[in-house]
């Protein structure tokens, strides 16, 4: 399978033929050749009826279809990022859920692309980790060829075009690419539906609405200093973790400036909530 | 048949509104074979333990089917879920380990095996291996390392992890006893090998009491710089 060939170490370049070899109307052909009551196809290869699969966040009251009896993959989150004159501030929670089970409270949802760029993780954990690692590899190759660091616009376009090939097949990815390039701070939101949008502030994930409430209120004040921006980001994630069952664990705040990215703080949400409730 | 000849239908009851609700039985390529795996990383050791029961539905296929597989002198993997995929996956991992050894003239490190497993699992993103993996071993510095995976390859390094059918019962107990979570004014004592072994035996005995898919026997693999030692302890067989 061409996808597996990408993963072989000796390949210098990402295979250009994939997925042109993939049948164009992948799910539809199957349904024409094998009508519903056939025994041939595994359930998970069919397009499920109804609304499209889970995107960056599970919509209320609708759970992503598991692939097989009780096969549960990791999901769920709140992540946010916003631009300030000092750079881009990124904050994420650290909870990973498999169905209603909290599989981990210490997931790293910020993935470094290179020294000056970060990607966040929302939606399917394996999808985000895999595709961002692939983009990081592509960015390194491009940097070596062009003798210039990759721009945030270019990296986000690489990611968006990669996942667009798989549109409709059930990937779940809602990521923000945050970096500093020659045009200054850069922030793009990319998802598995094919959206790629530049902006000044985004919150992504099941707890994003709660985070937006706190974030939008304090954005103007946050531009004053890096500390104010980080504190706002921390507060917004803490609020989302408080109200959203699928977010929690700890808050990790990172900052991307002209010199590159750095981790600003790492706080347990239980302790943060004690602090904020008192105040 | 003359009575249904007018409709031209093959089944006589069709067309009279007397059909029973039709149940489509589709073939499912997966089944759940049960089992629980646990891994704990210490300062200079790592323990990987699993029960040995292989079940399907209400039956037990085998009481002696351990879920820990030795990969190298420093790494053990525990796989639960669908036994067919566990077997194939371990075959693939062992083949890739040999290929690496032949190309690079060195044994794969625990971290490298974890990263490789992630890509192997993701290569089947659209028809996943129904396997919950936990890798336990020593890292390059000789410290214990545990890596836990989801079926499509998302992974993370931990200090301890439980996977499989009784994981939701074991994990909170480990969080409390090893991670000292949700306790106040408690001294954080580093975990010794003896205490870790005792804890593993106790938690599996408890899991066998309350989970139907866990029981029969417990196999423990202890990874230290001197190699891998194994122990087997009997559990409830009911």
């Amino acid at each position: 399978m061409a996808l597996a060939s990408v993963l072989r170490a000796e390949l210098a370049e990402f295979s250009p033929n994939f997925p042109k070899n993939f049948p164009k109307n992948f799910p539809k052909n199957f349904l024409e050749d094998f009508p519903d009551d056939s025994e041939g196809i595994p359930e998970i290869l069919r397009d499920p009826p109804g609304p499209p699969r889970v995107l960056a966040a599970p919509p209320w009251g609708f759970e992503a279809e598991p692939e097989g009896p009780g096969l549960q993959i990791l999901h769920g989150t709140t992540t946010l990022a916003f631009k300030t004159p000092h750079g881009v501030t990124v904050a994420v929670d650290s909870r990973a859920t498999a169905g209603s089970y909290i599989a981990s409270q210490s997931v790293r949802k910020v993935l470094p692309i290179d020294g000056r760029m970060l990607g966040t993780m929302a939606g399917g954990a394996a999808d985000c980790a895999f595709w961002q690692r692939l983009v990081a590899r592509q960015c390194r190759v491009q940097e070596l060829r062009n003798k210039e660091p990759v721009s945030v616009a270019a990296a986000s376009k690489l990611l968006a075009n990669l996942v667009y090939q798989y549109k409709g097949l059930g990937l779940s990815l809602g990521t923000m690419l945050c970096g500093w390039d020659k045009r200054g701070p850069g922030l793009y939101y990319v998802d598995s539906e094919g959206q790629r949008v530049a902006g000044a502030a985004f919150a992504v994930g099941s707890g994003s609405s709660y985070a937006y409430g706190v974030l939008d209120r304090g954005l103007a004040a946050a531009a004053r200093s890096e500390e104010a921006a980080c504190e706002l980001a921390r507060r917004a994630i803490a609020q989302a973790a408080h109200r959203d069952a699928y977010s929690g664990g700890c808050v990790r705040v990172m900052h991307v400036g002209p010199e590159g990215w750095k981790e600003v703080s790492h706080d347990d949400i239980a302790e943060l909530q004690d602090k904020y409730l008192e105040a | 048949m003359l009575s249904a000849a007018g409709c031209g239908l093959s089944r006589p009851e069709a067309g009279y509104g007397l059909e029973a609700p039709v149940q489509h039985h589709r073939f499912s390529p997966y089944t759940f074979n049960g089992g629980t795996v646990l891994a704990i990383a210490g300062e200079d050791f790592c323990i990987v333990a699993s029960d040995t029961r292989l079940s399907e539905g209400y039956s037990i296929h085998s009481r002696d089917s351990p879920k820990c597989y030795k990969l190298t002198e420093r790494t053990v993997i525990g796989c639960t879920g669908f036994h067919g995929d566990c077997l194939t996956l371990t075959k693939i991992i062992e083949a890739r380990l040999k290929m690496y050894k032949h190309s690079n003239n060195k044994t794969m490190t625990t971290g490298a095996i974890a990263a490789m497993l992630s890509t192997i699992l993701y290569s089947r993103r659209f028809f996943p291996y129904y396997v919950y993996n936990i890798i336990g071993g020593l890292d390059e510095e000789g410290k214990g390392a545990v890596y836990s995976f989801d079926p499509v390859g998302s992974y993370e390094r931990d200090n301890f992890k439980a996977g499989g059918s009784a994981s939701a019962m074991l994990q909170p107990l480990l969080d409390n006893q090893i991670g000292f979570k949700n306790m106040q004014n408690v001294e954080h004592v580093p975990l010794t090998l003896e205490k870790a072994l005792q804890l593993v035996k106790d938690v599996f005995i408890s899991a066998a009491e309350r989970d139907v898919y866990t029981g029969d026997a417990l196999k423990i693999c202890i990874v230290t710089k001197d190699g891998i030692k194994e122990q087997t302890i009997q559990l409830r067989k009911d």
Side-chain angles (χ1 to χ4, degrees), chain A residues 1 3-4 7-9 22 36-46 53 67-74 101-108 121 124-131 133 166 169-172, chain B residues 24-32 96 99 115-116 118-132 148-158 161-162 166-172 175 181:
Chain A
M1 191 179 154
L3 178 57
L7 307 164
R8 270 189 278 132
F22 236 8
D36 263 326
D37 56 353
S38 103
E39 295 196 333
I41 338 158
E43 277 266 77
I44 44 103
L45 285 182
R46 299 150 175 266
R53 288 234 202 169
E67 276 116 331
L71 192 80
Q72 290 174 332
I73 60 183
L74 299 180
Y101 178 62
I102 297 176
S104 173
Q105 293 270 62
S106 57
V107 178
R108 294 187 147 262
M121 178 197 287
D127 294 333
C128 292
F130 182 84
W131 290 108
R133 194 166 163 227
Y166 294 86
L169 297 180
L171 287 186
S172 168
Chain B
H24 290 292
H25 293 281
R26 284 192 198 84
F27 168 69
S28 168
Y30 297 117
T31 178
F32 182 63
R96 290 286 296 268
M99 283 156 61
M116 177 184 75
S118 173
T119 51
I120 293 174
L121 292 170
Y122 201 82
S123 71
R124 288 276 297 259
R125 172 65 175 81
F126 299 114
F127 184 8
Y129 288 112
Y130 183 0
V131 189
Y132 294 92
S148 58
F149 293 77
D150 83 337
V152 281
S154 161
Y155 78 107
E156 185 196 14
R157 185 171 173 177
D158 292 305
K161 194 76 176 180
S167 58
M169 286 180 213
L170 301 186
Q171 190 67 33
D175 286 336
K181 290 270 173 67

Side-chain angles (χ1 to χ4, degrees), chain A residues 112-118 131-159 162 177:
Chain A
I113 308 275
D114 63 26
R116 278 190 177 74
M117 229 189 306
L118 294 173
W131 290 108
Q132 287 187 29
R133 194 166 163 227
L134 208 60
V135 167
R137 185 164 158 266
Q138 282 296 94
C139 286
R140 180 71 183 131
V141 169
Q142 192 154 336
E143 188 177 327
L144 287 168
R145 286 194 180 131
N146 298 46
K147 290 191 203 165
E148 196 188 49
V150 172
S151 65
V152 188
S156 62
K157 197 139 208 181
L158 275 169
L159 180 61
L162 274 174
L177 268 116

